[in-house]
Amino acid sequence: MSFDASEYGRHVAQVHDETYAHLAPDAATVDDRGLPVAYVLPLRWTDDAGLPALTGYLRWLSSRVDVTVVDGSPPELFARHRVAWRELVRHLPPDPAVRGVNGKVTGVLTGVAAARHEHVVIADDDVRYDEAGLRAVHRLLDRVDLVRPQNYFDPLPWHAWWDTGRTLLNRALGADYPGTLAVRRSTFLAMGGYDPDVLFENLELIRTVRAYGGTEATPAWLHVRRLPPDTAHFLRQRVRQAYDDLAQPARLVASLAVLPALAAAVAARRPGLLLGAAGTTVVLAEAGRRRAGGSAVFPPTAALAAPLWVLERGACSWLALGRRLLFGGVRYAGGRVRRAAHFDRTLRLR
């Protein structure tokens, strides 16, 4: 179904009713926290392998900011989380009145509506802020409507190293798309949230803020740690992440051109062209690594992953385009999503 922003806006006023009131910690607890910041963590797990690690992080985090976990996990896991986090966070189910195919977005819409501070950090369950990062985001939100930090993987297994090639190229050419954003709650609610029926939810939120007339900060120096996924999850995400480029036509065209260009260079027996392209890609990634103190969190070998990632994206982009043309979209959370994200012009017209 299509997301109705005005309906969401009308519904926000009802979020603090008796449905959620009994789940909230006492207001005095919030006042004792270090920063007037709300931290929204949308969650939907199918197993609890990461529960001890996340609980430890939430224990540290909850002493510094007001944490809300919006948990769309199955009932037995939800109940276990409620017990584990009872003294640490506000633990909510997704608001049933907010519907959409992207469960992360419905969790964010629920959490931001329930937030008790103007400054709101939105973060995936694998993001690990430190206190300096939280304070930096808080200061930036005094001046802008949306903050886009820079994630880095730690630890760095082979597949995280591989994906870091993408991160460095994004840094060199502009800004990366992290697993965390921060917004002003008033702006978020005034613009009616963002569409939960898209795949690339972070791009959708960024573009919606811009379309509304909001301001954005992309501090390349604000490095926020992220835990790497396991190898199986990384492999499952390759085509799905390539599908995101359908919302960025220039990137899609560049990615689709990789394999034809490779084939043409091989057919012409021009290995120098291939070496030159690979070398240029490494140099560009190295520029991204050194930008804004990035060498402190990205190892020197990370730039070498960039040509490998470009080849992977070139192959996966054709597969993603095939999913769109042949099947009408890409599979996601048991369903199929057609739209990666709305274009800027469409959002401005809304």
Side-chain angles (χ1 to χ4, degrees):
M1 64 180 289
S2 177
F3 178 61
D4 187 335
S6 61
E7 179 61 31
Y8 169 73
R10 288 192 294 270
H11 176 72
V12 163
Q14 303 174 12
V15 169
H16 293 288
D17 67 7
E18 64 276 5
T19 303
Y20 294 111
H22 72 287
L23 300 174
D26 186 80
T29 304
V30 178
D31 292 341
D32 291 339
R33 301 185 194 279
L35 290 173
V37 172
Y39 190 105
V40 173
L41 194 162
L43 185 74
R44 183 167 61 182
W45 281 359
T46 55
D47 68 73
D48 268 351
L51 182 58
L54 182 58
T55 300
Y57 175 60
L58 292 178
R59 183 173 293 110
W60 173 87
L61 188 65
S62 63
S63 67
R64 289 158 175 83
V65 294
D66 180 27
V67 184
T68 297
V69 177
V70 183
D71 192 352
S73 304
E76 63 276 10
L77 297 185
F78 184 94
R80 194 178 305 158
H81 300 164
R82 172 63 57 81
V83 172
W85 303 332
R86 178 180 293 120
E87 304 299 326
L88 302 178
V89 305
R90 182 165 49 161
H91 183 227
L92 307 179
D95 186 343
V98 180
R99 298 184 178 89
V101 298
N102 193 314
K104 175 183 174 181
V105 180
T106 59
V108 171
L109 292 170
T110 300
V112 175
R116 293 172 289 204
H117 294 290
E118 168 69 354
H119 294 179
V120 182
V121 174
I122 301 165
D124 293 344
D125 61 345
D126 56 4
V127 169
R128 296 293 184 268
Y129 274 88
D130 59 16
E131 187 157 357
L134 291 171
R135 292 187 178 278
V137 166
H138 179 47
R139 289 194 301 270
L140 287 166
L141 284 175
D142 283 334
R143 306 198 304 268
V144 299
D145 297 288
L146 182 140
V147 178
R148 193 169 155 189
Q150 172 65 68
N151 279 149
Y152 67 95
F153 287 118
D154 180 24
L156 197 70
W158 74 266
H159 56 281
W161 169 82
W162 182 292
D163 203 37
T164 298
R166 168 193 58 82
T167 299
L168 299 184
L169 291 175
N170 281 339
R171 281 173 62 83
L173 297 172
D176 194 27
Y177 295 99
T180 178
L181 297 170
V183 297
R184 287 181 179 176
R185 182 176 183 267
S186 58
T187 301
F188 187 96
L189 299 183
M191 71 188 194
Y194 62 125
D195 197 327
D197 290 322
V198 301
L199 187 67
F200 198 174
E201 78 287 338
N202 278 356
L203 179 59
E204 183 76 8
L205 177 51
I206 291 166
R207 285 180 173 176
T208 304
V209 170
R210 290 175 185 164
Y212 182 72
T215 54
E216 174 190 2
T218 56
W221 49 265
L222 181 49
H223 306 127
V224 177
R225 181 186 176 211
R226 190 172 191 179
L227 303 179
D230 60 40
T231 305
H233 182 77
F234 168 80
L235 294 174
R236 288 194 301 269
Q237 293 294 301
R238 306 335 298 150
V239 176
R240 192 209 69 75
Q241 289 188 4
Y243 197 90
D244 291 342
D245 282 349
L246 270 68
Q248 303 173 96
R251 288 182 181 235
L252 179 63
V253 170
S255 296
L256 292 175
V258 169
L259 292 187
L262 176 63
V266 171
R269 298 182 181 180
R270 300 285 299 275
L273 291 177
L274 299 178
L275 292 175
T280 300
T281 304
V282 170
V283 169
L284 188 61
E286 179 63 16
R289 188 184 78 87
R290 297 187 183 191
R291 180 185 173 198
S295 56
V297 294
F298 300 112
T301 58
L304 299 176
L308 300 174
W309 179 84
V310 168
L311 283 175
E312 173 227 302
R313 179 54 61 93
C316 289
S317 292
W318 284 101
L319 295 174
L321 185 61
R323 298 283 196 281
R324 174 64 176 269
L325 297 177
L326 299 177
F327 303 107
V330 67
R331 294 198 65 81
Y332 175 83
R336 194 172 293 277
V337 182
R338 177 177 177 82
R339 189 181 300 279
H342 289 92
F343 294 117
D344 293 293
R345 180 175 180 274
T346 303
L347 292 170
R348 286 195 298 270
L349 289 174
R350 286 185 171 183

